[in-house]
Amino acid sequence: MTGDRWRRIADQIEQVDATQSLGHRVCAVAADLLSVDHASLALVVNHATSWIEGSDDAAIVLDEQQFSLGDGPSFLAIDSLAPVMGIDMNSPEALRRWPAFAPVAIRHDAIAVFSFPLRVGEARLGVMSAYRSQPGELTAAEYADGLVVASLATMALLQEQAGASPGDLAAAFSPGVIHQSQVQLAAGMVSEQLDMSIIEALVRLRAYAYAHEQSVNSVARSVISRELAFQKEEKQ
């Protein structure tokens, strides 16, 4: 039965629009199988995201909020190397467990959050997260499907990584590589605007994205298109 589930889900991923990245296709299938509104994949290094792909922008924003805050089911799934089911962000338990992220999730109408680690043994690669506007648990079948999708995503990441340069993802898996270059370009522009280092500019970009509850990619695009410019603060 488990083998049948693997084949069924792998076939479903293959049937999604081939013009989309593999990462997006995995997220789309995860959202469908788990009956959620948004799904995402994130690669994580030292508890910081190096790449995020989502079924839509909302998934990316929610992931970035968790890792900016250092709080939330996805963050905990990475730490514990086990699935974390946040079945009701409005509940006292969730507000106590994730005091920083739960209010953000509620504002974004992500009332239930389900996170599955991407792992190889004790090695942490990342996390797959699913966001739903209604509270409640996953069914047994949905939970089992989530485990398989996370495993397939892990296998795909390892296969793509094997053909990529060290530290890089193969472009076929993710337009996140393109997004990452956009963020780096935007950081360079902010660095010039504020006369600071690239690292400091990246921090400013992420801080702006967090404060305005946008994805870093979205903020980067606004900087590159010159819709957004950072101004030096006047010294008192």
Side-chain angles (χ1 to χ4, degrees), residues 49-72:
T49 53
S50 62
W51 162 80
I52 299 175
E53 176 68 294
S55 58
D56 51 31
D57 285 344
I60 294 173
V61 168
L62 285 160
D63 264 22
E64 288 185 342
Q65 289 289 312
Q66 289 196 70
F67 286 98
S68 293
L69 293 167
D71 187 46

Side-chain angles (χ1 to χ4, degrees), residues 19-33:
T19 63
Q20 299 290 333
S21 71
L22 180 54
H24 180 85
R25 283 183 278 158
V26 170
C27 291
V29 169
D32 179 52
L33 291 174

Side-chain angles (χ1 to χ4, degrees), residues 14-176:
E14 287 297 321
Q15 290 167 8
V16 178
D17 184 0
T19 63
Q20 299 290 333
S21 71
L22 180 54
H24 180 85
R25 283 183 278 158
V26 170
C27 291
V29 169
D32 179 52
L33 291 174
L34 275 61
S35 302
V36 297
D37 302 287
H38 320 287
S40 64
L41 292 171
L43 293 186
V44 179
V45 179
N46 295 327
H47 291 91
T49 53
S50 62
W51 162 80
I52 299 175
E53 176 68 294
S55 58
D56 51 31
D57 285 344
I60 294 173
V61 168
L62 285 160
D63 264 22
E64 288 185 342
Q65 289 289 312
Q66 289 196 70
F67 286 98
S68 293
L69 293 167
D71 187 46
S74 300
F75 200 80
L76 181 57
I78 288 291
D79 258 356
S80 65
L81 285 175
V84 176
M85 305 289 103
I87 62 175
D88 187 355
M89 291 292 113
N90 277 309
S91 70
E93 179 186 357
L95 291 166
R96 175 186 55 78
R97 198 176 187 188
W98 301 298
F101 176 68
V104 173
I106 293 167
R107 286 200 299 274
H108 284 270
D109 202 26
I111 307 305
V113 182
F114 312 108
S115 299
F116 298 82
L118 308 183
R119 57 177 292 185
V120 179
E122 296 300 308
R124 297 166 171 83
L125 300 182
V127 63
M128 182 186 82
S129 299
Y131 302 94
R132 194 174 65 197
S133 60
Q134 297 297 319
E137 299 179 355
L138 295 175
T139 66
E142 288 168 344
Y143 182 84
D145 284 348
L147 292 174
V148 171
V149 175
S151 295
L152 287 169
T154 300
M155 291 171 58
L157 284 167
L158 292 173
Q159 289 170 358
E160 293 294 341
Q161 187 68 41
S165 301
D168 291 334
L169 278 172
F173 190 84
S174 166

